[in-house]
Amino acid sequence: MTSLSTIQYQDIRQLAAARTPGHGLVSRFYGDPIVHQADLETIWFHGWLFVGHSCQLKTPGDYLTLQVDSEPVVVIRNDDGRLGAFSNICRHRGTILCNDTSGHAGRLVCPYHQWTYDRGGQLVSCRGMDDDLDTSTLGLHRFAVEETGGLVFVSLAATPPPFDVAAQHIGPAATPQGLERARVAATVDYRLRANWKIVWENNRECFHCNANHPQYILANFDHYNTDDTSPQIQAAIDAATQRSQHKWAASGLEVTHTRTGMATFPAPGPDGWVAVNRTPLVDGYLSETMNGQQVAPLMGDYADPDVGTLRMRTMPNFWNHSSCDHSVSTRLLPDGPHHTRIQVTWLVDESAEADRDYQLEDIMPFWQLTSEQDWAICENVQRGVTSRHYSPGPLSTAKEYNVDAL
Amino acid sequence: MTSLSTIQYQDIRQLAAARTPGHGLVSRFYGDPIVHQADLETIWFHGWLFVGHSCQLKTPGDYLTLQVDSEPVVVIRNDDGRLGAFSNICRHRGTILCNDTSGHAGRLVCPYHQWTYDRGGQLVSCRGMDDDLDTSTLGLHRFAVEETGGLVFVSLAATPPPFDVAAQHIGPAATPQGLERARVAATVDYRLRANWKIVWENNRECFHCNANHPQYILANFDHYNTDDTSPQIQAAIDAATQRSQHKWAASGLEVTHTRTGMATFPAPGPDGWVAVNRTPLVDGYLSETMNGQQVAPLMGDYADPDVGTLRMRTMPNFWNHSSCDHSVSTRLLPDGPHHTRIQVTWLVDESAEADRDYQLEDIMPFWQLTSEQDWAICENVQRGVTSRHYSPGPLSTAKEYNVDAL
Amino acid sequence: MTSLSTIQYQDIRQLAAARTPGHGLVSRFYGDPIVHQADLETIWFHGWLFVGHSCQLKTPGDYLTLQVDSEPVVVIRNDDGRLGAFSNICRHRGTILCNDTSGHAGRLVCPYHQWTYDRGGQLVSCRGMDDDLDTSTLGLHRFAVEETGGLVFVSLAATPPPFDVAAQHIGPAATPQGLERARVAATVDYRLRANWKIVWENNRECFHCNANHPQYILANFDHYNTDDTSPQIQAAIDAATQRSQHKWAASGLEVTHTRTGMATFPAPGPDGWVAVNRTPLVDGYLSETMNGQQVAPLMGDYADPDVGTLRMRTMPNFWNHSSCDHSVSTRLLPDGPHHTRIQVTWLVDESAEADRDYQLEDIMPFWQLTSEQDWAICENVQRGVTSRHYSPGPLSTAKEYNVDAL
Ligand code: FES
Ligand code: FES
Ligand code: FES
C-alpha cells in the first residue's frame, strides 16, 4: 500500500466538508478504497489502539498479536516488566515472527532463518549472516505502547498523540474494577461484512435499542432520551442516582452519568478520544446478566455488588462494559474497507474458577446477544449504504447526537 | 460506485464500434469493470427488468425483493391493488428494509430504528426524530413498475423507456396461458461465473443445441436452421404448422413462428426489447417434459393440451417457456462483471396441488437440465474470452443471427 | 488484461533499480497488480515454461492442459509424434476446448458448437457456418513447444528465446535418469497464498533448511555453507565426492557439484535460466526417502542405486529432484499477484507397479513434507512483506547468493 496523493486527500476533505449538517455520511465513506486508505493514515495508523488486557501479559515473555488492516503487531512483556510493541515481521526477509494470537516466548525467533530478537526487539542472533553486519540497526520496528488501569494500548504513529488523557480518565475509574487482577474467561471473534464506521455509528446511539436489544433495555436507563423520558422514569433515574451516590460515596465510587440518554461522546479533554462513566443500573439489576443477578465473585475493590455499570470507550477501537462481577471488552480492527474484525472478551476476577465460581452460560449471554444483534444490523446497513440510491438521512438530535459528533 | 467520465464512455463506444462485423465482442466486454459500469448505466439501470409474477404479489402487502448489481429493490402490492417499486433502503441511515426475497408486510418497518413506511413508500412514523422534521420528503426512492399478462417489470431509470411495446405483445399472447391465475411450484437459484452477456449470447442461438441439449431437440424444431433443414423436416414443420393453425384458430390461439430457426430477435417494435411467439411442438409432444406428456392440469384458458409452446423474452433479463400445463420463467441479474445471478421459476395452475395433481420430478427436469447444460457452457466461455489470445471469431449467419444483433 | 504503458514500465524499472544491493525486494514486488502485469509480460509470457513429462504424452492424441495466469494452454502429441502447443480456446466464440488437466483426443472438438480442430490445430470442421468461411485462418493460436530429456516446455512468446541451452544441459544429464521411460506415480496440487517470487526465493537458499527441513538435511550436504562447514564435514563431503567420482566414472555419470552450499544459480550459459547438477548424498542414503533406502525399481540406465541425486531447475517455473528409484518434479504457475499454483509430481520407472514394486507411502513423504514445510513459510512471508513496515533486510552472502541473483 502506498500513501495517498495530495489530490486524493483534497478529494476526501471535500467529500467530508460537503456533508449536510445533521445528516449521515455519503456512500463513499463506507467502501471506497481511497477513503479507507485515508482512514488508515489519519486514524488507525495514528491514534491509540486497544490491544488487550495487562492481565494477559503478566509475565515477561507473554505476548499478544493483532493485525491492524495490513499491519501485523506484537506486544510483549519485557524483562523489566514494561511492555514493548513491535512490527511483527522479521527484519531479514519479512516473515511473520509470532503466528499465534497470544503466547509466551523467551526470545522472538523467526521461523524462517532463526534470526533472534530479544524481548526489547534487539537482534541478538543471526547465524549465517556476514560477520560485518551491523545488527544494531536491525532491531524490530518499534511502536509506542502504554498501559493504564489494566488496559494496553499501542500507537502505530511515528509521533503518537498524547496518552495522558487516557491515563487521567481510565486509570482512576478502572482501578476499583481491578482489571489488572482479572483473567480472561472467554473470547469470541467475529468478522463483519461492514465498514468499521458503521459499527461505531451503531454503538454510539441507543435509538435502536428498544426494538433490537430486549435484554439491554431491562437493565439500563440510557435508551431513554430527552424526548421519551416520562416524569415517572425520570423519578426512577433520580432515585437510583441518589441511592447510588449516597452508598458509593463510602467506597470512593462516583456516579458520573446522571442524565437520561447515553453519555455524550467525545467526553473529556481536547482530543476527546476517551470516555469513562459509571451509571446506576435499573432497580433489581446488580449485574448486566440475563436476570440481573450477580453470577461471579466480586471483582477488584468491590465489597458490595451494587456498583452500577462502568463504561469505557476509546476511539477508534475499544469499548468496555463492567459489572460488579465481570467485565466485557470489545476490540475493533479494520480489515479492508468492507470488513471489520471484532473480538469480545469476558473477564472475571483472577481468583474465580470456571464451573466452581461461575458458569460461562451465566456471564456471557447478556453481552453476546446484544453484540450479535448489533452485528446483524451493521451488515444490513453496509448492504444499503453502498447503493447509488442511498442518500444520508437526518439524524435525531435527541437520540443520535453521538453519531453526528463522530 | 460513481458514474463514468466522458472519456471512459468514449473509450467504450470506440471499442464497440471497432467490432468486426459478423464477429463476437472483444475480451473487455466480458470482464472489464469500466465496461460493466457502462452496461449498468445504459442497460440495467435504464430498461425494464423482469421482477417476478403477479401471482406472487396477489394481496396488498405481498412483496418481492431483488438485487440489481449494487441496487436493492422491493416491489409491493399497494392497498389500491396497484404495485409500488422502491429502493429497498431506509431513508434514515440506509439499512436494508426487507431482507427476505419475498414476504407480506402491513407496513415497511426498518429493523434499525423503526422508521415506518406505508405501502406507497411514504414515511408515516419516525418516533424519536426531531418534531420539525419534514417527513414528506423522506419517502422511499420510487422506481417505475408495470405489470402485463401476469408478469411484473421495474425500471430503475429516472425516465424509463416506454412500456407499451411489452403491454401490446405480452399481454394478448400471455393471457390464454393464465399466468395471473398461476402459482409457483418451484424455484432454483444459480450464481454463474460468467458475464451476463455470455448468458444471452448462449440463449440467442440454437447452433449449440444438437450437441448440448438432448432433451430440448426432441421436442422442438428450432434447432434446425436454413442450412440443415431437409425437405422431410420442412414437411414435418409445415404439417405441424397447418395442423396447429387449423385447430388453434377455434380457440383464438395463433401460430406466430412458422419458419425453421429461432424467432428473430429483437422482434417487434422500434425498441425491440420484447419478443413473443407461439410454435408447434414436434409430433407426440404435448408439453416440454421428458416424455412429451402432459404432467399437470391445463393452465389458463386452455381446453386442449395441444397448444404448442409459448415463448416470451424481454431484454435484458427475462425469458419464459410455457407449455399447456406449466410455465418456466428465467430471470437474470448481474452481480459484478464476472457473475450473473439466475432464478428459474416453475409455475402451474393455481388450483394444482403438488403430489395430488403433479409431481415436481415430472415438470422440472426438461428445463432444469437444459438450463444447467447452458450454465456449464457459459462458465466455460467466460474462462476463454478473458484470455489475451482470444480473438472474436465469425458468427454463423444461418445460426447466430441473434447473437450478432445483440 | 491490457498491456502496460511506457510510464508503468518506467516506474517498475525505477523500483527495481532502487533495490539496495545485497538486500531483498520492496513490498510492491509481492502484490502490486502493475508489477505482476510486468512479471507476466517480461517473464511468464516470454520464457520457457515447464508443462509436464514426455511420458504423459506418449501416444498421438495425448494432451496436457495448464493455466498460466489468465492463459489457458493445451499441449498435444501430434500424429507425426511431435508436440503441438495451442491456446486452449476455440476460435469461434472463445470456449475452453479441453477442460481436463490431461486426456486423449482424436480431434479437439469444442463443446459449444463442435468446431473441430485436428491435432495440428487446423480447423477441420465447423458445420453450420457460412460456406465462404476461410477456415485456414481459423486454426488454434499456436505456441512454441520443445521437449528434451523427457521434459516438455512451452513458450507463450511470439518470438521465444533460444531453447538450446536447455537441450544442451538437461538432455545429457537427464538421459540416464530415463524420464522418457517413466510414469507418473502421484500428483499433488497446491494453491499458495504467496507471490511466485517468494516461492523461488525460498527455493534458492538452504539457509532455512536446518530449522525447517529435518528430513532433507539428513540426506544432503548443501545446507552447509562456507561459514559453517567444519573440517570434519568437509572431509565427509570430499570422501563422498571421491568415492562417487570413481564409481560413477564407470557408468558415465559425473559429479558436477562438489562444493558445499547449493549450486550457484543461474548456472550455465548467457541466458542462465537452466541449472543441472549431480551430487553425492550423505553416506547411508541411496535415495531421498525417509530412511535413505531404495524403495522402488531403479530408473533409466542405472545399474546401481548409488547415483547420488540429480537436480534440475529452469526459471521461472520448474525444479526436479531425482534419486535412483524415483523422480520428483515441481511446477509453478502464477495465479494473480497473490497466489501461486503448484503441482508436485512423483515419477517411477514405467515398469514399476504400485503396491507390487513400490508403496506411495515410501516414495512420497520425503519431498511432500519438505515441500509443504516450504509452502507454510512462503505464506507466512507473504503476510509480512505486504506490511508498510517491511523493509528489505540484508542477504547473507554465504547462504543467500542465489536469492540475490534472482
Ligand atoms: S526472514 Fe526471518 S530470519 Fe530470515
Ligand atoms: S436506518 Fe432505518 S430507521 Fe434508522
Ligand atoms: S465456441 Fe467453439 S464452436 Fe462455437
Side-chain angles (χ1 to χ4, degrees):
Chain A
M1 275 295 192
T2 50
S3 294
L4 292 180
S5 69
T6 314
I7 291 181
Q8 288 171 321
Y9 267 121
Q10 248 173 23
D11 173 42
I12 295 168
R13 266 195 300 265
Q14 278 172 11
L15 206 61
R19 182 170 80 104
T20 310
H23 285 64
L25 295 166
V26 296
S27 267
R28 281 189 55 198
F29 280 93
Y30 303 107
D32 185 294
I34 301 294
V35 171
H36 182 62
Q37 195 69 13
D39 282 359
L40 293 179
E41 295 189 9
T42 60
I43 297 172
W44 289 95
F45 298 158
H46 176 72
W48 289 99
L49 308 180
F50 173 69
V51 170
H53 301 90
S54 301
C55 65
Q56 298 175 282
L57 298 164
K58 260 190 183 154
T59 317
D62 287 351
Y63 67 80
L64 290 174
T65 66
L66 66 164
Q67 178 95 14
V68 185
D69 208 87
S70 57
E71 299 311 308
V73 176
V74 58
V75 176
I76 186 166
R77 181 72 66 190
N78 213 323
D79 296 318
D80 60 8
R82 289 193 303 174
L83 292 175
F86 307 102
S87 178
N88 185 19
I89 58 177
C90 181
R91 288 298 304 276
H92 179 220
R93 292 215 335 249
T95 308
I96 298 287
L97 291 171
C98 304
N99 259 307
D100 297 328
T101 52
S102 67
H104 180 88
R107 290 168 165 202
L108 299 176
V109 182
C110 177
Y112 205 167
H113 312 94
Q114 288 67 57
W115 279 29
T116 302
Y117 307 86
D118 67 19
R119 291 163 176 171
Q122 284 307 306
L123 178 61
V124 291
S125 153
C126 54
R127 288 200 314 137
M129 297 302 297
D130 302 359
D131 290 339
D132 60 353
L133 191 68
D134 180 5
T135 57
S136 71
T137 65
L138 291 168
L140 298 180
H141 184 93
R142 177 183 293 276
F143 298 126
V145 61
E146 296 277 0
E147 56 186 328
T148 183
L151 303 175
V152 177
F153 294 86
V154 73
S155 164
L156 275 53
T159 313
F163 187 75
D164 4 344
V165 62
Q168 280 159 31
H169 289 87
I170 293 177
T175 302
Q177 184 74 33
L179 291 179
E180 299 95 336
R181 291 163 281 151
R183 58 181 205 74
V184 171
T187 291
V188 181
D189 287 288
Y190 302 92
R191 185 167 185 263
L192 259 63
R193 288 183 300 271
N195 183 278
W196 68 273
K197 290 188 288 296
I198 286 175
V199 183
W200 268 114
E201 287 166 358
N202 170 269
N203 175 274
R204 289 299 66 225
E205 46 87 2
C206 213
F207 185 6
H208 69 277
C209 292
N210 290 332
N212 287 281
H213 299 316
Q215 299 83 25
Y216 181 84
I217 59 172
L218 291 178
N220 286 279
F221 288 118
D222 60 358
H223 55 102
Y224 293 112
N225 286 287
T226 49
D227 62 333
D228 57 3
T229 308
S230 65
Q232 191 180 359
I233 289 161
Q234 189 57 55
I237 297 173
D238 293 344
T241 301
Q242 277 169 31
R243 164 179 51 90
S244 303
Q245 273 174 332
H246 180 76
K247 184 167 177 182
W248 297 353
S251 51
L253 303 180
E254 221 186 324
V255 178
T256 50
H257 182 56
T258 59
R259 288 158 302 148
T260 58
M262 298 184 84
T264 307
F265 185 83
D271 286 319
W273 59 276
V274 182
V276 176
N277 66 73
R278 186 179 294 275
T279 325
L281 291 170
V282 166
D283 264 345
Y285 273 79
L286 294 173
S287 177
E288 289 186 323
T289 55
M290 298 303 277
N291 62 9
Q293 296 310 298
Q294 176 186 346
V295 292
L298 292 177
M299 291 183 76
D301 303 332
Y302 299 145
D304 181 317
D306 180 13
V307 297
T309 174
L310 170 71
R311 297 202 188 96
M312 303 185 277
R313 281 185 304 285
T314 64
M315 285 296 286
N317 88 321
F318 170 69
W319 64 78
N320 171 284
H321 293 263
S322 292
S323 287
C324 62
D325 55 350
H326 73 287
S327 176
V328 188
S329 290
T330 300
R331 182 183 79 179
L332 311 186
L333 292 169
D335 184 15
H338 299 102
H339 292 90
T340 304
R341 290 191 189 274
I342 304 188
Q343 185 171 76
V344 182
T345 302
W346 283 258
L347 300 113
V348 292
D349 187 77
E350 63 185 354
S351 69
E353 219 172 83
D355 296 331
R356 189 192 65 184
D357 300 319
Y358 66 91
Q359 309 290 330
L360 284 181
E361 65 257 42
D362 289 333
I363 63 167
M364 290 181 72
F366 186 96
W367 277 111
Q368 184 163 13
L369 287 169
T370 302
S371 298
E372 292 174 7
Q373 288 149 2
D374 279 332
W375 307 165
I377 292 170
C378 289
E379 296 199 335
N380 216 353
V381 174
Q382 179 75 29
R383 281 181 57 209
V385 294
T386 43
S387 155
R388 34 172 89 196
H389 291 289
Y390 165 67
S391 63
L395 301 174
S396 162
T397 50
K399 295 177 190 289
E400 299 180 289
Y401 39 86
N402 280 323
V403 176
D404 200 16
L406 174 69
Chain B
M1 276 295 192
T2 49
S3 293
L4 293 181
S5 69
T6 316
I7 290 181
Q8 288 170 322
Y9 266 122
Q10 249 172 22
D11 174 41
I12 295 168
R13 265 196 300 267
Q14 278 172 10
L15 207 61
R19 182 169 79 103
T20 311
H23 285 63
L25 295 167
V26 297
S27 268
R28 281 188 55 197
F29 280 93
Y30 303 108
D32 185 293
I34 301 295
V35 172
H36 182 63
Q37 195 68 13
D39 281 359
L40 293 179
E41 294 189 9
T42 60
I43 298 173
W44 289 95
F45 298 159
H46 175 72
W48 289 99
L49 309 179
F50 173 69
V51 169
H53 301 89
S54 301
C55 66
Q56 298 175 281
L57 298 163
K58 260 189 183 155
T59 318
D62 287 350
Y63 67 81
L64 291 173
T65 66
L66 65 164
Q67 179 94 12
V68 185
D69 208 87
S70 58
E71 298 313 308
V73 177
V74 59
V75 176
I76 187 166
R77 181 73 65 191
N78 213 322
D79 296 318
D80 59 8
R82 290 194 302 174
L83 292 175
F86 307 103
S87 178
N88 186 18
I89 59 177
C90 181
R91 288 298 305 275
H92 179 220
R93 291 212 339 246
T95 308
I96 298 287
L97 291 171
C98 303
N99 260 307
D100 297 328
T101 53
S102 67
H104 181 89
R107 290 168 165 201
L108 299 176
V109 182
C110 177
Y112 205 168
H113 313 93
Q114 289 67 55
W115 280 30
T116 301
Y117 305 87
D118 67 20
R119 292 162 176 173
Q122 284 307 305
L123 178 61
V124 291
S125 153
C126 54
R127 288 202 310 138
M129 297 301 298
D130 302 0
D131 290 339
D132 59 354
L133 191 68
D134 180 4
T135 58
S136 71
T137 65
L138 292 168
L140 299 180
H141 184 92
R142 176 184 293 276
F143 299 126
V145 60
E146 295 277 0
E147 55 185 328
T148 183
L151 303 175
V152 178
F153 294 87
V154 73
S155 165
L156 273 54
T159 314
F163 187 74
D164 3 346
V165 61
Q168 280 159 31
H169 288 88
I170 293 177
T175 301
Q177 185 73 34
L179 290 179
E180 298 95 336
R181 290 163 283 151
R183 58 181 205 74
V184 171
T187 291
V188 182
D189 287 288
Y190 303 91
R191 186 168 185 261
L192 259 61
R193 288 182 300 272
N195 183 278
W196 68 274
K197 290 188 288 296
I198 286 175
V199 183
W200 268 113
E201 288 168 357
N202 170 269
N203 176 272
R204 289 297 67 230
E205 46 88 2
C206 215
F207 187 5
H208 69 277
C209 292
N210 289 332
N212 288 282
H213 298 316
Q215 298 82 27
Y216 182 82
I217 57 171
L218 291 178
N220 286 280
F221 287 118
D222 59 359
H223 55 101
Y224 294 112
N225 286 287
T226 49
D227 61 333
D228 58 3
T229 307
S230 65
Q232 191 179 358
I233 289 160
Q234 189 58 54
I237 297 172
D238 292 345
T241 301
Q242 277 171 31
R243 167 180 49 92
S244 302
Q245 274 174 332
H246 180 77
K247 186 168 178 181
W248 297 353
S251 51
L253 303 180
E254 220 186 324
V255 178
T256 51
H257 182 53
T258 59
R259 288 158 303 147
T260 58
M262 298 185 82
T264 306
F265 185 83
D271 286 317
W273 60 276
V274 182
V276 176
N277 66 73
R278 184 179 295 275
T279 325
L281 292 169
V282 167
D283 264 346
Y285 272 80
L286 294 172
S287 178
E288 289 186 323
T289 55
M290 298 303 277
N291 62 9
Q293 295 311 297
Q294 176 186 346
V295 292
L298 292 177
M299 291 184 76
D301 303 332
Y302 300 144
D304 181 317
D306 180 13
V307 298
T309 173
L310 171 71
R311 298 203 188 94
M312 302 184 277
R313 282 185 304 284
T314 64
M315 288 293 289
N317 88 323
F318 171 69
W319 64 78
N320 172 285
H321 293 262
S322 291
S323 289
C324 63
D325 55 350
H326 73 288
S327 176
V328 187
S329 290
T330 300
R331 181 183 80 180
L332 311 184
L333 292 169
D335 183 15
H338 299 100
H339 292 90
T340 305
R341 290 191 188 275
I342 304 187
Q343 185 170 77
V344 183
T345 303
W346 283 259
L347 300 113
V348 293
D349 188 76
E350 65 185 352
S351 70
E353 219 173 84
D355 296 331
R356 190 192 64 184
D357 300 319
Y358 66 91
Q359 309 290 331
L360 283 180
E361 63 257 42
D362 289 334
I363 63 167
M364 289 182 74
F366 185 97
W367 277 111
Q368 185 163 12
L369 288 169
T370 301
S371 299
E372 293 175 6
Q373 288 149 1
D374 279 332
W375 306 166
I377 293 171
C378 290
E379 296 199 335
N380 217 353
V381 174
Q382 179 75 29
R383 281 181 56 211
V385 295
T386 43
S387 155
R388 35 172 90 197
H389 292 288
Y390 165 67
S391 63
L395 302 174
S396 161
T397 50
K399 296 177 189 289
E400 300 179 290
Y401 39 86
N402 280 324
V403 176
D404 201 18
L406 174 70
Chain C
M1 276 293 192
T2 50
S3 294
L4 293 180
S5 69
T6 315
I7 291 181
Q8 287 170 322
Y9 267 120
Q10 248 172 23
D11 173 42
I12 294 168
R13 267 196 299 267
Q14 279 172 10
L15 207 61
R19 181 170 79 104
T20 311
H23 285 64
L25 295 166
V26 298
S27 268
R28 280 187 56 198
F29 280 93
Y30 302 108
D32 185 294
I34 300 294
V35 172
H36 182 63
Q37 195 69 11
D39 282 359
L40 293 179
E41 294 189 10
T42 60
I43 297 172
W44 289 95
F45 298 158
H46 176 71
W48 289 99
L49 308 180
F50 172 68
V51 169
H53 301 89
S54 302
C55 67
Q56 298 175 281
L57 297 163
K58 261 190 182 153
T59 316
D62 286 351
Y63 67 81
L64 292 174
T65 65
L66 66 164
Q67 179 95 11
V68 185
D69 210 88
S70 58
E71 297 313 308
V73 177
V74 60
V75 177
I76 188 167
R77 181 73 66 190
N78 213 323
D79 296 317
D80 60 8
R82 290 195 301 173
L83 293 174
F86 307 103
S87 178
N88 187 18
I89 59 177
C90 181
R91 289 297 305 275
H92 179 220
R93 292 215 335 247
T95 308
I96 299 287
L97 291 172
C98 303
N99 259 307
D100 297 329
T101 53
S102 67
H104 180 88
R107 291 168 163 201
L108 299 175
V109 182
C110 177
Y112 206 166
H113 314 93
Q114 288 67 54
W115 279 30
T116 301
Y117 306 87
D118 66 21
R119 291 162 176 172
Q122 284 308 305
L123 179 59
V124 292
S125 155
C126 54
R127 287 201 312 137
M129 297 301 298
D130 302 0
D131 290 337
D132 60 353
L133 191 67
D134 179 5
T135 58
S136 70
T137 65
L138 291 168
L140 299 180
H141 184 91
R142 177 184 293 275
F143 299 126
V145 61
E146 296 277 359
E147 56 186 329
T148 183
L151 304 174
V152 178
F153 294 87
V154 73
S155 165
L156 274 52
T159 313
F163 187 73
D164 5 344
V165 62
Q168 280 159 31
H169 289 87
I170 293 177
T175 302
Q177 185 72 35
L179 291 178
E180 298 97 334
R181 290 162 283 151
R183 59 181 204 74
V184 170
T187 291
V188 181
D189 288 288
Y190 303 92
R191 186 167 185 262
L192 259 62
R193 288 183 300 270
N195 183 278
W196 68 275
K197 291 189 288 294
I198 286 175
V199 182
W200 268 114
E201 288 166 358
N202 170 269
N203 176 272
R204 290 298 67 227
E205 46 89 0
C206 213
F207 186 6
H208 69 277
C209 292
N210 289 332
N212 288 282
H213 298 316
Q215 300 83 25
Y216 181 84
I217 57 170
L218 292 178
N220 286 280
F221 288 116
D222 61 357
H223 55 102
Y224 294 112
N225 286 288
T226 51
D227 61 332
D228 57 3
T229 308
S230 66
Q232 192 180 356
I233 289 160
Q234 189 59 52
I237 296 172
D238 292 344
T241 302
Q242 277 170 29
R243 166 180 48 90
S244 302
Q245 273 173 331
H246 180 75
K247 184 168 179 181
W248 296 354
S251 51
L253 302 180
E254 222 188 322
V255 178
T256 51
H257 182 54
T258 60
R259 288 158 302 147
T260 58
M262 300 185 83
T264 307
F265 185 83
D271 287 317
W273 58 276
V274 182
V276 176
N277 66 73
R278 184 179 295 274
T279 323
L281 291 170
V282 167
D283 265 346
Y285 272 80
L286 294 172
S287 178
E288 289 186 323
T289 55
M290 298 303 276
N291 61 9
Q293 297 309 297
Q294 177 186 345
V295 294
L298 293 177
M299 292 184 75
D301 302 333
Y302 299 145
D304 181 315
D306 181 11
V307 297
T309 174
L310 171 72
R311 297 201 189 96
M312 303 184 277
R313 283 186 303 283
T314 64
M315 287 294 288
N317 88 322
F318 170 68
W319 64 78
N320 172 284
H321 294 262
S322 290
S323 289
C324 63
D325 56 349
H326 73 288
S327 176
V328 188
S329 291
T330 301
R331 182 183 79 179
L332 312 184
L333 291 170
D335 184 16
H338 299 101
H339 292 90
T340 305
R341 290 191 189 273
I342 304 188
Q343 185 171 76
V344 183
T345 303
W346 283 258
L347 300 113
V348 292
D349 187 76
E350 63 184 354
S351 69
E353 220 172 82
D355 297 331
R356 189 192 66 183
D357 300 318
Y358 66 91
Q359 308 290 331
L360 284 181
E361 63 257 41
D362 289 333
I363 62 167
M364 289 181 73
F366 186 96
W367 278 112
Q368 184 163 14
L369 288 169
T370 302
S371 299
E372 293 174 6
Q373 288 149 1
D374 279 331
W375 305 166
I377 293 171
C378 290
E379 296 199 335
N380 216 352
V381 174
Q382 179 75 30
R383 279 181 58 210
V385 295
T386 42
S387 155
R388 32 172 91 196
H389 292 288
Y390 165 68
S391 62
L395 301 175
S396 162
T397 50
K399 295 176 190 290
E400 300 180 289
Y401 40 86
N402 280 324
V403 176
D404 200 17
L406 175 69

